[in-house]
Amino acid sequence: MSFAPDSKTLLTGSFDSTTKLWDTASGQLLRTFPGHGDQVTSVSYAPDGKTVLSSSIDGTIKLWDTASGQLMRTFQDLDGTVWSVSYSPDGKTILIGSGGIAKLWDTASGQLLRTFQGIAQG
């Protein structure tokens, strides 16, 4: 789960392969982001609140526009199940954790910037 920077919405990942956006005041479901081939393992809000990330057991990360619900980019070639995903504080990069490896990606281009080996699991 991940709160929006303004705390007005909440992002959740689901076993049904979707990511959901909720209104925190009313509890109302605002939007569903479909698209993963297996359960969602982690979600993250961009620091500006305009985009969100979802990662999945299917080995992908999806970048979504929060206003339109449009899929903006799919990050692939991630070495199996992606267990965690996080934006950098400036929103320019994302970090993913997958099977003892962490990878740093450029958010805008989708380019892999760096791989960190030997990350502890658990």
Side-chain angles (χ1 to χ4, degrees):
M1 292 180 272
S2 180
F3 275 105
D6 64 7
S7 298
K8 293 181 180 179
T9 56
L10 174 70
L11 189 67
T12 63
S14 302
F15 285 108
D16 68 0
S17 307
T18 64
T19 302
K20 295 179 176 151
L21 186 65
W22 304 88
D23 181 276
T24 54
S26 69
Q28 179 181 356
L29 176 63
L30 301 174
R31 183 177 308 285
T32 299
F33 303 94
H36 283 291
D38 208 329
Q39 77 184 50
V40 176
T41 55
S42 183
V43 294
S44 183
Y45 247 103
D48 65 7
K50 294 180 181 178
T51 59
V52 295
L53 294 167
S54 58
S55 66
S56 174
I57 286 178
D58 70 6
T60 64
I61 293 175
K62 307 260 183 201
L63 175 67
W64 306 93
D65 179 89
T66 54
S68 69
Q70 180 180 348
L71 177 63
M72 299 173 66
R73 178 179 311 284
T74 299
F75 297 84
Q76 297 179 349
D77 188 27
L78 302 171
D79 301 317
T81 298
V82 180
W83 293 109
S84 61
V85 61
S86 182
Y87 274 96
S88 63
D90 63 8
K92 293 181 181 179
T93 56
I94 63 169
L95 185 65
I96 66 103
S98 174
I101 297 171
K103 291 187 176 185
L104 187 66
W105 297 80
D106 181 86
T107 308
S109 70
Q111 179 181 3
L112 177 63
L113 301 174
R114 189 165 293 114
T115 299
F116 303 91
Q117 299 282 343
I119 305 299
Q121 297 181 42

